[in-house]
Amino acid sequence: MKITVAGAGIGGLATALSLHAAGFDQVVVHEAAGEIRPLGVGINLLPHAVRELTELGLAERLAAIAVPTAELAYFNRYGQAIWCEPRGLGAGYRWPQYSVHRGRLQMLLLDAVRERLGAHAVRTGSRIAGLRHDCDLLVGADGIHSAVRAALFPGEGAPPWNGLVLWRGTTRAEPFLTGRSMIMAGDGTQKFVAYPIGDGRLVNWIAERPLDGEPPERGNWNRHADLAAVVAHFADWRFDWLDVPAVIAGAGAAFEYPMVDREPLPHWSGDGVVLLGDAAHAMYPIGSNGASQAIIDARVLAHSLATTGSTAAYEEIRRPATTALQLANRRQGPEVVMKLAHERAPGGFDDIEAVVPLAERAEISASYKRTAGFDPALLNERASWSVG
């Protein structure tokens, strides 16, 4: 079977590796950009995605470029703790959770594709503009502005925006909390996220708040922003354990991204074509799921093709799961604990148990894990998507 993959992002490259591991040897990835460069800032890979990369034989390479996340902690806008939980191996998973620079992960996958499928398996400067291509199957992994999706669903238009804007950057800063903590602080409207992605001192951060007026671009992660203006929005967010404005100000640059997603689709496939990753189910960057879900898509697609000869099982498994996750992220996913704490105690609190009881906090966390597919027991016991 000749398979063409549109897009050499994380989803597209993971697809090529997964197909090759499943026995498909005629796979070519077409990338519109003339050169693939390590762009972007930090992302998180949840244990279910790390499992898939491990089963693709990439565990050691991944560990060499990533930081194993020790805990996820939520705070209010005054730095008071709302909820904290261990992550990765410390939470009972058989696989770690990682924080990693998106560009470094992409280059890791690119190197592996070229090693395993050949130097010409990834063709740059080659844009897939529609559904007609010389192959048996076209996989649209070409992102939120997917040309393949647009050909399947013409007239869809720009991705819908929810009124919030994210600013992202990286800063050399002193370690905070465990030194491997991922933190989120906010009130349900304005939010700050930080976690280390390098040697313990390179911190990835995300600042979020409503934006007046229309954003200039939707779906462009690399638009530069005014760093001083971002700092001003968080000027009084100084905690005993983290100086938020100092972290923001210490970045070399900030990138602006309006929070957009895509509407769930009634189907992902057509005659000789199927969608994957953001092209299929772009979602708000909540709960650390964008890249992780694309990697899982890749593995399930390869398994479906190898075991049934079609994409039907892939869509049957993945479309309902990602639709539920898209909708959960629109409701703020596990981050809703910050909104609840603010609504019930806008000036802060003396005892979080009196504001958002432990049972409620724990169920919010557990429910999201079930929706996103990384409940510890279910993930540890699930059969592998490897073929053979």
Side-chain angles (χ1 to χ4, degrees):
M1 177 183 283
K2 292 178 63 177
I3 302 175
T4 294
V5 180
I10 290 169
L13 295 171
T15 299
L17 291 170
S18 299
L19 290 168
H20 178 265
F24 297 94
D25 56 7
Q26 297 185 72
V27 181
V28 177
V29 181
H30 291 255
E31 168 55 44
E35 178 186 3
I36 300 174
R37 296 180 291 129
L39 299 175
V41 286
I43 61 172
N44 265 262
L45 290 178
L46 297 172
H48 53 353
V50 176
R51 172 181 181 173
E52 304 309 331
L53 295 178
T54 297
E55 293 182 359
L56 285 171
L58 299 173
E60 291 186 4
R61 296 189 190 191
L62 182 57
I65 66 167
V67 174
T69 309
E71 66 172 359
L72 170 62
Y74 295 96
F75 300 83
N76 65 9
R77 61 174 296 148
Y78 308 109
Q80 295 177 299
I82 298 170
W83 171 252
C84 182
E85 63 181 37
R87 282 294 174 114
L89 300 178
Y93 293 98
R94 292 171 54 195
W95 303 271
Q97 176 173 325
Y98 283 125
S99 298
V100 62
H101 190 285
R102 182 200 172 280
R104 295 191 71 187
L105 174 62
Q106 184 181 14
M107 300 310 291
L108 181 159
L109 297 174
L110 176 63
D111 290 345
V113 169
R114 286 173 169 163
E115 289 168 11
R116 298 178 186 184
L117 281 74
H120 301 293
V122 179
R123 300 177 185 175
T124 56
S126 179
R127 181 183 299 276
I128 303 296
L131 302 182
R132 294 188 177 276
H133 205 70
D134 183 21
C135 60
D136 299 304
L137 178 66
L138 171 62
V139 181
D142 47 344
I144 194 169
H145 294 299
S146 168
V148 179
R149 177 179 174 128
L152 274 177
F153 297 93
E156 186 178 27
W161 175 51
N162 72 351
L164 299 176
V165 66
L166 308 178
W167 296 284
R168 306 173 68 116
T170 58
T171 301
R172 291 282 173 185
E174 290 298 315
F176 53 88
L177 300 181
T178 68
R180 294 189 291 118
S181 300
M182 179 179 185
I183 70 96
M184 299 189 183
D187 56 16
T189 301
Q190 189 159 325
K191 180 179 72 178
F192 182 79
V193 179
Y195 50 88
I197 59 169
D199 56 10
R201 294 182 181 272
L202 184 62
V203 173
N204 183 80
W205 56 264
I206 302 134
E208 173 188 315
R209 73 183 304 274
L211 178 71
D212 295 329
E214 277 289 312
E217 288 184 86
R218 300 186 187 187
N220 177 5
W221 284 101
N222 299 304
R223 178 181 170 82
H224 283 267
D226 181 354
L227 198 59
V230 182
V231 172
H233 292 306
F234 292 84
D236 60 346
W237 289 46
R238 290 186 171 88
F239 313 146
D240 293 342
W241 48 275
L242 186 68
D243 187 331
V244 171
V247 170
I248 297 172
F255 301 92
E256 180 179 274
Y257 183 79
M259 191 180 285
V260 296
D261 66 358
R262 284 290 190 186
E263 294 295 336
L265 293 174
H267 59 87
W268 289 355
S269 55
D271 185 17
V273 62
V274 67
L275 300 176
L276 182 145
D278 278 356
H281 51 70
M283 58 189 67
Y284 293 156
I286 287 172
S288 308
N289 265 287
S292 293
Q293 295 297 325
I295 291 167
I296 296 165
D297 285 353
R299 292 277 286 164
V300 178
L301 175 62
H303 185 274
S304 177
L305 289 170
T307 57
T308 71
S310 80
T311 64
Y314 159 69
E315 183 166 345
E316 182 180 346
I317 292 167
R318 295 299 297 153
R319 190 168 60 83
T322 55
T323 294
L325 189 54
Q326 286 177 290
L327 298 178
N329 282 4
R330 287 182 175 181
R331 298 188 297 269
Q332 300 189 356
E335 299 172 18
V336 74
V337 293
M338 296 184 290
K339 177 175 181 287
L340 293 175
H342 176 73
E343 288 175 347
R344 299 173 189 178
F349 49 79
D350 296 321
D351 180 10
I352 185 59
E353 183 65 17
V355 180
V356 188
L358 176 60
E360 185 177 6
R361 286 173 280 152
E363 177 52 27
I364 288 170
S365 175
S367 175
Y368 188 77
K369 290 184 177 75
R370 292 190 296 268
T371 300
F374 67 107
D375 174 86
L378 295 177
L379 176 60
N380 287 347
E381 297 167 9
R382 174 178 61 73
S384 173
W385 293 116
S386 295
V387 176

